[in-house]
Amino acid sequence: MKTELKDRLRELRKARGYSQQDIARELNISRQAISKWENGKSYPDLDNLILLSTFYDVPLDNFFCSEIRKNQEKRKKNYILFIGILAGYFMSPFGVIILLFIFFYTKKADNYLYRLLIYIFLLIALIRNLNDLYDLWIFNSPQNRIYEIEKIIEK
């Protein structure tokens, strides 16, 4: 069971000054069931969630909103990471710094497949950035400048 649901059930009960026995009596269930819900050992079925929602006078989605918000925040972070990779790809060769930051930030990602996908895109963008960096280095090297000056003098 998600931590947020058990904590939310406990918060609602304590905020209204009820004991587990009071809730159990009102909902016509055992006190042990309430205890299990609040300790995360089991969770209420839909009928009991509706009863709890009515009893506490809160919308049913109030029990799950923190989960929804957390998922939305994860999606937002994922979008930001992909936008960062695109920016790093197109800001070559300075994107290397952005890509290295994203690489270290991605290590905190939960999902293995998501992390693997990010690493693949990072590798592609990093190869492009290093290639552009190499081209800049070759183009601006002193030997290349001397060669360009000699070509101009020959003409």
Side-chain angles (χ1 to χ4, degrees):
M1 178 165 80
K2 300 296 182 186
T3 307
E4 289 77 19
L5 179 59
K6 71 178 187 178
D7 293 339
R8 186 69 180 134
L9 290 172
R10 187 178 296 121
E11 284 174 14
L12 286 169
R13 179 178 59 80
K14 289 185 177 184
R16 288 166 173 74
Y18 293 117
S19 68
Q20 290 179 347
Q21 187 64 42
D22 296 335
I23 304 294
R25 199 175 311 119
E26 286 292 323
L27 300 181
N28 199 22
I29 54 176
S30 69
R31 186 203 57 79
Q32 288 82 4
I34 302 290
S35 176
K36 286 180 182 179
W37 297 344
E38 290 183 1
N39 290 323
K41 294 180 180 173
S42 69
Y43 56 93
D45 61 7
L46 185 58
D47 292 333
N48 286 327
L49 279 173
I50 292 171
L51 288 173
L52 286 166
S53 171
T54 305
F55 180 74
Y56 290 130
D57 194 29
V58 295
L60 189 58
D61 66 342
N62 195 349
F63 295 115
F64 306 105
C65 280
S66 60
E67 283 297 312
I68 294 169
R69 252 183 258 117
K70 190 179 281 188
N71 288 337
Q72 289 173 344
E73 288 173 8
K74 280 184 180 180
R75 269 191 236 119
K76 186 187 282 187
K77 287 179 185 177
N78 295 347
Y79 292 142
I80 290 171
L81 282 175
F82 279 112
I83 289 171
I85 290 172
L86 283 173
Y89 182 83
F90 290 111
M91 292 176 59
S92 182
F94 304 108
V96 172
I97 297 167
I98 296 171
L99 296 173
L100 290 175
F101 174 76
I102 291 173
F103 174 76
F104 288 109
Y105 183 77
T106 304
K107 286 185 177 182
K108 299 175 184 175
D110 306 345
N111 189 342
Y112 173 75
L113 291 176
Y114 168 73
R115 208 173 27 217
L116 182 64
L117 183 66
I118 290 288
Y119 287 151
I120 289 169
F121 285 128
L122 276 171
L123 183 65
I124 292 167
L126 192 60
I127 289 171
R128 178 175 187 261
N129 274 271
L130 292 175
N131 184 34
D132 288 351
L133 193 60
Y134 176 76
D135 289 345
L136 279 174
W137 180 66
I138 291 297
F139 181 74
N140 291 324
S141 69
Q143 291 176 343
N144 191 31
R145 287 187 196 154
I146 292 171
Y147 177 74
E148 291 294 323
I149 292 171
E150 288 175 350
K151 281 175 65 176
I152 292 172
I153 292 173
E154 288 177 1
K155 290 182 183 179

